[in-house]
Amino acid sequence: MRPRRSGEMGGILIRVNRPGVVAGGHVSETEQAGIAVDFELANDGTIADLVHRVSAILRLHEQAQAA
């Protein structure tokens, strides 16, 4: 399952996982596992590392949109 509006509007979905953190039982945490994403990344470093990884994904997306 993927929310249709993001793709229709040129957006992307990125799932950020934090190793060692277990999601709680709330529906917002359990249902998201079934959503198809465009990119998945690990949040296992510093904030600067996370910013760098997201920036790289955005550059890839921009390049794909321009092609």
Side-chain angles (χ1 to χ4, degrees):
M1 166 175 47
R2 176 175 178 192
R4 294 172 44 125
R5 291 196 72 188
S6 67
E8 291 171 357
M9 299 177 78
I12 58 174
L13 292 176
I14 303 171
R15 178 175 291 125
V16 179
N17 295 311
R18 179 84 176 161
V21 176
V22 178
H26 190 269
V27 69
S28 66
E29 296 169 329
T30 58
E31 292 295 317
Q32 64 86 25
I35 297 174
V37 297
D38 300 297
F39 296 93
E40 192 161 346
L41 60 87
N43 180 12
D44 58 358
T46 65
I47 292 173
D49 293 334
L50 182 61
V51 168
H52 176 75
R53 291 172 183 167
V54 171
S55 295
I57 288 172
L58 293 177
R59 279 192 302 276
L60 286 172
H61 177 65
E62 289 171 356
Q63 291 170 357
Q65 292 294 320

